[in-house]
Structure formats: structure tokens, C-alpha cells
Amino acid sequence: MAAAWERERPGTPVSSIRILTPIWQLAKMFGDDRRRVLARAGVDAATLDLLSVLRRSGPPYTLSTRELGQRSLVTAGAVSQRVARAEQEGLVTRGPARGRTRTVLVTLTPAGHDLVEATVDQVLHRDDELVAGLTPDQQAQLTDLLENLLTDVQRRLGDDWIGHVGQQ
């Protein structure tokens, strides 16, 4: 692709194609594989994200809907839909915070805890399989390079909110 653009439009910068095209291809492949793993586990990505955020918060596995939105990088409306669906499935409960009438707290139930534990293991084992073609040193190097690229792109775009992914 880059060679074709170089041939057809000499002088057009094409070096980014050699970086971004594989990233886009990998993102698609990883996303498709993740959906298959989750389908076999009987959970959708949005529900797993909600349960995972609660599980990573530590005991008592309770967060406000505002905190869930910030940690999941989704809108308040999306949080509300996710919580309602998970509550219907018995995976979370929600209720008011003491002394804060407008704050809704969401708590992971034992069923939600069990589901996230089983599913996260499946997802992370599969992710390990998918990157196993790289040595541990190569994985560490790629992690550093991607972190540097992400930080720089966020700075250039003035968009630092995405940096929270995976940090909580």
C-alpha cells in the first residue's frame, strides 16, 4: 500500500501506513477474537467491562455510576443501560449512597463475581496466546513503544482521557 502511494503520489508521506495499517488490522483481529471468546462464555463486552471495573475496584466491589463511567470511558447513559441489564441478570445491585440522594452505587453480586472471574481468565489466557509469538523482551519493548506513541498522540490531539484504560 505504501509503495503504491509512493509510486502514484511521489512526495506524499507514507511511513505512517507501515505502522498504522498493522495496528488497525491487529485491532480488528483482536476484537473479532475477543467477541468469539465472550460469546462462548455467554457474556457481552459491555457487561464484562462493567463487571471487570467493579471487580478491579477491590472489596466491597462497589462504585458510583459516575466512577463507572469515568473508569469505563462511557457516557452516563451507557452506564445506566449496562447497569440495568446486569441488574436484570442478577450480576449487580444498585442503590442510593448514604447521605447522597443523587448518587447511585453499583455493587457486584456473587453471581457477577463468579462470572467475571471465569471470563477474565478465559480472555486473558487467550490474549496471552495471541501475543505468544513475541518473546518477553519483545513484549516489553512493544509495550513501551505503544505507551510512548499513545502518550504522544494524546498530547497532539489534546485527548488524555483514554489514558485511563487498563490503569484502574
Side-chain angles (χ1 to χ4, degrees), residues 48-79:
L48 180 60
D49 183 48
L50 170 69
L51 300 179
S52 295
V53 169
L54 287 167
R55 174 62 178 88
R56 288 192 312 265
S57 72
Y61 311 115
T62 299
L63 293 171
S64 70
T65 52
R66 171 176 270 169
E67 290 169 315
L68 286 168
Q70 291 169 340
R71 294 183 187 194
S72 297
L73 306 176
V74 297
T75 66
V79 169

Side-chain angles (χ1 to χ4, degrees), residues 1 21-23 38 41 55-56 61-62 72 77 81 108 111 118 126 147 152 156 160 165-166:
M1 188 184 313
T21 299
I23 289 173
L38 294 177
R55 174 62 178 88
R56 288 192 312 265
Y61 311 115
T62 299
S72 297
Q81 289 176 347
L108 194 62
R126 180 61 178 165
E147 186 175 304
D152 185 62
R156 290 174 188 273
D160 65 351
V165 173

Side-chain angles (χ1 to χ4, degrees), residues 23-166:
I23 289 173
W24 282 108
Q25 290 171 327
L26 284 167
K28 168 111 174 63
M29 293 166 61
F30 288 148
D32 290 348
D33 189 73
R34 172 75 52 95
R35 281 184 285 284
R36 286 189 293 270
V37 169
L38 294 177
R40 284 192 299 271
V43 66
D44 63 273
T47 300
L48 180 60
D49 183 48
L50 170 69
L51 300 179
S52 295
V53 169
L54 287 167
R55 174 62 178 88
R56 288 192 312 265
S57 72
Y61 311 115
T62 299
L63 293 171
S64 70
T65 52
R66 171 176 270 169
E67 290 169 315
L68 286 168
Q70 291 169 340
R71 294 183 187 194
S72 297
L73 306 176
V74 297
T75 66
V79 169
S80 180
Q81 289 176 347
R82 290 177 179 193
V83 169
R85 191 169 50 243
E87 188 176 39
Q88 286 178 337
E89 296 174 17
L91 304 173
V92 300
T93 59
R94 64 179 151 177
R98 279 193 227 160
R100 299 172 70 194
T101 57
R102 296 180 57 152
T103 300
V104 175
L105 296 179
V106 180
T107 302
L108 194 62
T109 66
H113 189 275
D114 291 346
L115 179 60
V116 75
E117 292 293 303
T119 306
V120 165
D121 280 351
Q122 292 175 43
V123 167
L124 295 181
H125 283 297
R126 180 61 178 165
D127 288 352
D128 277 351
E129 290 174 6
L130 294 176
V131 299
L134 299 175
T135 67
D137 286 343
Q138 289 171 326
Q139 289 180 28
Q141 183 180 15
L142 182 57
T143 298
D144 290 342
L145 290 170
L146 290 171
E147 186 175 304
N148 290 341
L149 180 60
L150 178 61
T151 299
D152 185 62
V153 169
Q154 288 170 329
R155 181 186 58 76
R156 290 174 188 273
L157 297 177
D159 189 5
D160 65 351
W161 63 270
I162 195 93
H164 297 293
V165 173

